[in-house]
Amino acid sequence: MENQSEHKSLARLDESLLTHIPPFSRLKDSQIRDILDHATARRCAEGVTVFREGDPAERFYMLLDGYIRVLRITAAGEQVISLHIPSGQLFGIARAIGRDTYPATALTASEAIILSWPTTLWDHFVREYEGFSSETYKIVGQRLGEINMRVVEMATQQVEQRVANTLLRLVDQTGRKVKDGIEVDFSITRQDLSEMTATTLHTISRLLSAWEKKGLVKSRRKHVVVSNADGLMALGRGCAPQHVSQQV
Amino acid sequence: MENQSEHKSLARLDESLLTHIPPFSRLKDSQIRDILDHATARRCAEGVTVFREGDPAERFYMLLDGYIRVLRITAAGEQVISLHIPSGQLFGIARAIGRDTYPATALTASEAIILSWPTTLWDHFVREYEGFSSETYKIVGQRLGEINMRVVEMATQQVEQRVANTLLRLVDQTGRKVKDGIEVDFSITRQDLSEMTATTLHTISRLLSAWEKKGLVKSRRKHVVVSNADGLMALGRGCAPQHVSQQV
DNA sequence: TATAAACTTTGCGCTAGCGCAACCTTCGGA
DNA sequence: TCCGAAGGTTGCGCTAGCGCAAAGTTTATA
């Protein structure tokens, strides 16, 4: 099902692909050559499943270009989006957290270019390549931090604040400058946003409409542009600035 | 503020303290001796802060006895309890996730005995002690898994289900068999439960009262006993058994 | 170019569970 | 033994935001 994407080897992989990516940046050219020679490259369209929660973790991945969406699906069939991974990061690194199955499902949130290696090489990477493991654990720590922040937000904030903060984080992490603001750099639907913030697509739609009227965002089908980040930040902190300034 | 607890060295530490604890179980006696000789032991009363979120991670810890509560405090002063750590686990291992400050606050949820080492020894432990790092990353993975599960629960379940599942997990992880069921093995208030499930102490109180009438739990001040785990599980899955069976 | 599929908007009513308030119970310390 | 503090219970009213429904818009497909 997930293998309908192109799987070609992209000719021979160039070393410059990896030299500036943290887990590999301290390595010699010959080491990088070696790493690339063991890698499988793959170009995927948007919406392609890379691996599923519970699958045996047979490979680990490096996202060279595009975005990966990580999500979990409940018994009742509901999706919860855990995070989005930007290019230049490892993912599917079950071994780094002592697991032998993937803890979540990963699919491409945009067109993407992905390298992967068999998990059997993991220990070798950790042992032989300086800086690989420390960078890896930094990534794990970052993601743990993000998930923790979500727990705190979900436990303490109103829907409007959560959505505002989520959107700000999205444009901060993956934003692309456009004419009238900063745009989330991959297709994102109301449904997606609702799965990131534990609400419904209806509520997201209402919020975006309201924000658009206030000039905070501009959105169209599958696209969201933040045009007034400061205004959104005020909302995210829970102070509704327009009331404060006009009523007192 | 947090140093009012006893800080005595508990005489000389016995090697048997560590020999059966996973991160150290593969080590020779001499290695364990060495580890203990560098350790500081501390016995803490309930409610003592071990470290605070944001503090420089100068030490890492092993809980020998008791329970640790890990929590975060928001700007608005609200607490969110992330998890409870049972004895035999490392904690405060910021280095394992590439951080140099603690990502959360840790305090004792019961009387506790805690060993600790300066973080400067971390790399040495990882390098010299076989199995230490893999066990460490398993712990990180477990905690990541738990936090992920909370996100999913908070995003998809009703309060009643979340509380039921949280309680079941507590007795599963820390339960102590008592006459009429399984009791959570440390003091736990309605407030604590509410901070674990993103609700209010009032709602927890109402739920526990209702469950007590149905014979699912028995609770008194700071104590909760689960007396019918299967019944609670049914609630946790979202099927209210008494309605289902009587109305159809 | 028509049609379906995917995505979005908006209105309306309802309810889970919060916030407040008042009161009760248990426990530890003087 | 008394008092105060911490913890727990319960009633009541309210509202954020969900669920449903219906219709509009954009995009892909035939």
Side-chain angles (χ1 to χ4, degrees):
Chain A
M1 196 180 273
E2 61 243 48
N3 283 327
Q4 285 147 345
S5 67
E6 311 160 47
H7 205 126
K8 61 188 171 190
S9 229
L10 295 177
R12 193 163 190 250
L13 299 162
D14 193 88
E15 283 136 45
S16 63
L17 285 173
L18 296 186
T19 42
H20 297 299
I21 296 184
F24 304 113
S25 55
R26 297 194 219 165
L27 303 183
K28 286 180 243 145
D29 277 4
S30 62
Q31 292 177 303
I32 292 192
R33 187 69 263 154
D34 218 46
I35 288 171
L36 284 172
D37 286 343
H38 287 93
T40 301
R42 179 178 171 194
R43 159 169 253 130
C44 297
E46 186 180 319
V48 172
T49 303
V50 182
F51 54 78
R52 281 178 217 280
E53 178 175 350
D55 284 354
E58 280 156 7
R59 306 188 72 82
F60 63 97
Y61 301 83
M62 162 60 72
L63 183 63
L64 283 185
D65 191 45
Y67 295 93
I68 292 288
R69 176 171 297 151
V70 178
L71 53 86
R72 314 193 86 198
I73 303 178
T74 67
E78 290 164 296
Q79 285 193 7
V80 178
I81 296 176
S82 284
L83 44 81
H84 286 94
I85 295 174
S87 61
Q89 290 196 4
L90 291 168
F91 67 103
I93 50 178
R95 273 306 302 273
I97 51 168
R99 298 193 42 133
D100 51 10
T101 58
Y102 298 113
T105 296
L107 50 83
T108 53
S110 64
E111 249 202 290
I113 300 175
I114 301 171
L115 295 186
S116 70
W117 299 266
T119 299
T120 47
L121 290 181
W122 180 265
D123 290 337
H124 180 254
F125 274 44
V126 167
R127 213 181 320 111
E128 298 299 322
Y129 301 136
E130 194 205 330
F132 180 81
S133 79
S134 70
E135 285 303 322
T136 301
Y137 297 122
K138 246 179 231 166
I139 287 288
V140 172
Q142 265 175 37
R143 296 191 190 152
L144 195 81
E146 265 192 59
I147 293 175
N148 254 313
M149 157 167 293
R150 279 193 68 197
V151 171
V152 172
E153 277 188 8
M154 286 176 54
T156 61
Q157 301 184 336
Q158 306 273 93
V159 166
E160 181 171 42
Q161 301 175 51
R162 294 204 303 267
V163 177
N165 290 323
T166 300
L167 204 47
L168 284 167
R169 234 171 290 132
L170 274 178
V171 296
D172 185 47
Q173 290 168 5
T174 80
R176 169 168 34 94
K177 186 98 190 84
V178 292
K179 195 174 81 257
D180 37 12
I182 309 169
E183 179 165 9
V184 177
D185 197 23
F186 49 83
S187 321
I188 187 160
T189 64
R190 312 297 188 252
Q191 174 85 40
D192 293 331
L193 278 167
S194 73
E195 289 171 3
M196 301 178 66
T197 50
T199 177
T200 60
L201 75 159
H202 308 276
T203 298
I204 297 285
S205 176
R206 283 183 254 263
L207 285 173
L208 289 182
S209 297
W211 292 348
E212 185 131 15
K213 281 191 194 118
K214 292 194 208 159
L216 300 172
V217 303
K218 282 214 171 67
S219 68
R220 14 183 281 268
R221 189 182 228 243
K222 288 189 166 202
H223 294 261
V224 181
V225 177
V226 171
S227 37
N228 177 353
D230 291 339
L232 256 196
M233 267 180 224
L235 280 188
R237 278 194 304 271
C239 30
Q242 73 287 9
H243 295 140
V244 173
S245 54
Q246 284 174 6
Q247 266 169 225
V248 183
Chain B
M1 197 179 272
E2 61 242 50
N3 284 328
Q4 284 148 343
S5 66
E6 309 161 48
H7 206 124
K8 62 188 170 190
S9 231
L10 296 176
R12 193 160 191 251
L13 299 162
D14 193 271
E15 284 136 45
S16 64
L17 285 174
L18 295 186
T19 43
H20 296 299
I21 295 183
F24 304 112
S25 55
R26 298 193 219 164
L27 303 183
K28 287 181 243 146
D29 278 4
S30 63
Q31 292 178 304
I32 292 194
R33 185 69 263 153
D34 217 47
I35 289 172
L36 284 171
D37 285 344
H38 288 92
T40 301
R42 178 177 171 196
R43 157 169 254 130
C44 297
E46 185 180 321
V48 171
T49 302
V50 182
F51 53 79
R52 280 178 218 281
E53 177 175 351
D55 284 354
E58 280 157 6
R59 305 188 73 82
F60 63 98
Y61 302 83
M62 161 59 72
L63 183 63
L64 283 186
D65 191 46
Y67 295 93
I68 291 288
R69 176 171 297 151
V70 179
L71 52 85
R72 315 193 86 198
I73 303 177
T74 67
E78 289 164 297
Q79 284 193 7
V80 179
I81 296 177
S82 284
L83 44 83
H84 286 94
I85 294 174
S87 61
Q89 289 196 5
L90 292 168
F91 67 103
I93 49 179
R95 273 305 302 272
I97 51 169
R99 299 192 43 133
D100 51 10
T101 58
Y102 298 114
T105 296
L107 50 84
T108 54
S110 64
E111 249 202 290
I113 300 174
I114 301 172
L115 296 186
S116 69
W117 298 266
T119 299
T120 47
L121 290 181
W122 179 265
D123 289 338
H124 179 255
F125 275 44
V126 167
R127 215 179 319 109
E128 299 299 322
Y129 301 135
E130 196 206 329
F132 180 81
S133 78
S134 69
E135 285 303 322
T136 301
Y137 296 123
K138 247 178 231 167
I139 287 288
V140 172
Q142 266 175 36
R143 297 191 189 152
L144 195 79
E146 264 192 62
I147 293 174
N148 255 312
M149 156 169 293
R150 280 192 68 196
V151 171
V152 172
E153 278 189 7
M154 287 175 55
T156 62
Q157 301 183 337
Q158 307 272 95
V159 166
E160 182 171 43
Q161 301 175 51
R162 294 204 302 266
V163 177
N165 291 323
T166 300
L167 204 47
L168 285 168
R169 234 172 289 133
L170 274 178
V171 296
D172 185 46
Q173 289 168 5
T174 81
R176 167 169 36 94
K177 187 96 192 85
V178 291
K179 194 174 82 258
D180 37 11
I182 309 168
E183 178 163 10
V184 177
D185 197 23
F186 48 82
S187 318
I188 187 159
T189 64
R190 311 298 188 253
Q191 175 85 38
D192 293 332
L193 277 168
S194 74
E195 288 171 3
M196 301 177 67
T197 50
T199 177
T200 61
L201 74 157
H202 308 277
T203 298
I204 298 284
S205 176
R206 283 183 253 264
L207 284 174
L208 289 182
S209 298
W211 292 348
E212 185 132 16
K213 282 191 193 118
K214 292 195 209 162
L216 300 172
V217 304
K218 283 214 170 64
S219 69
R220 11 183 285 268
R221 189 181 229 244
K222 288 190 168 200
H223 295 262
V224 182
V225 177
V226 171
S227 37
N228 177 354
D230 291 339
L232 255 197
M233 267 180 223
L235 281 188
R237 278 194 305 270
C239 29
Q242 73 287 12
H243 295 143
V244 172
S245 53
Q246 285 175 4
Q247 265 169 226
V248 183

